[in-house]
Amino acid sequence: MSKKALVITSSFRKGGNSDSLAEAFANGAREAGNEVEIISLADKTIGFCKGCLACGKTQKCVINDDAVEIAEKMKNAETIAFATPVYYYSVSGQLKTMLDRANPLFTTDYNFRDIYLLASAAEDGEETVAGTQTAIQGWIDCYEKAKLAGTIFAGGVNDKGDIAGHQALEEAYNVGKKIQ
């Protein structure tokens, strides 16, 4: 049985290293027969959460921008993969803003269960991705039916294209291919 998978990539450097991880994951998931959509936050307008909490009652954000449609796609996906460059040992600002704006999902009957983190960074130590995982896990912890199903980290990749031939690409593809 195929699943609906959503891949959200958050780098403004189109075709960069984290985008490559997203594509590899998506290709594996498609090959396994899943319905896959990739959304790049690079060309989206996403304002900051106002903290008004109106969405807790209405399940809708008071801000009318691209985040509303993306959150709806997140709600309906069974699997979500977040692809991000590691910025200051955490997720990119654009991804953090989108996670904040997904707050209307908190009180809904969302479909997502398995969440994946696809991260790339210039540094390659395991500690490099720890804060990024903490940021994603903090969001997941607010959704009791969801879990961090896996993290794929490509360290030692800084310039666009540095990821070519990196083992993380194959790992992302293989993890995507196992989604069923």
Side-chain angles (χ1 to χ4, degrees):
M1 184 169 138
S2 72
K3 287 192 173 181
K4 186 180 279 192
L6 179 65
V7 180
I8 297 176
T9 182
S10 65
S11 176
F12 277 106
R13 186 167 63 178
K14 288 193 173 218
N17 299 314
S18 59
D19 279 359
S20 295
L21 282 174
E23 285 291 338
F25 181 91
N27 288 339
R30 281 189 195 105
E31 189 172 307
N34 297 292
E35 179 185 333
V36 181
E37 180 177 2
I38 298 177
I39 295 175
S40 171
L41 300 183
D43 54 0
K44 303 296 184 192
T45 300
I46 302 172
F48 296 113
C49 176
K50 295 179 181 289
C52 67
L53 300 178
C55 62
K57 295 177 181 147
T58 65
Q59 286 82 44
K60 299 213 184 291
C61 185
V62 299
I63 304 169
N64 189 18
D65 62 10
D66 293 325
V68 174
E69 181 181 348
I70 296 167
E72 186 66 22
K73 290 177 186 239
M74 290 169 68
K75 176 186 173 189
N76 294 320
E78 296 163 281
T79 298
I80 301 173
F82 294 114
T84 184
V86 175
Y87 288 170
Y88 295 98
Y89 303 101
S90 191
V91 297
S92 68
Q94 352 8 317
L95 181 54
K96 175 61 171 112
T97 300
M98 186 60 233
L99 293 175
D100 291 348
R101 289 292 305 286
N103 196 59
L105 303 180
F106 183 72
T107 57
T108 67
D109 187 21
Y110 55 88
N111 291 331
F112 53 87
R113 300 296 184 264
D114 293 333
I115 308 295
Y116 293 90
L117 170 61
L118 313 171
S120 64
E123 294 180 42
D124 61 1
E126 285 183 34
E127 69 281 357
T128 302
V129 76
T132 312
Q133 287 175 301
T134 298
I136 293 295
Q137 187 64 60
W139 183 81
I140 293 168
D141 286 347
C142 296
Y143 296 91
E144 64 184 34
K145 296 184 280 185
K147 72 178 184 305
L148 182 60
T151 297
I152 297 150
F153 175 57
V157 297
N158 188 46
D159 295 331
K160 187 174 179 178
D162 280 354
I163 199 167
H166 197 289
Q167 71 177 24
L169 289 173
E170 184 177 347
E171 185 181 350
Y173 171 82
N174 288 332
V175 168
K177 198 170 178 181
K178 290 180 184 175
I179 295 172
Q180 294 181 14

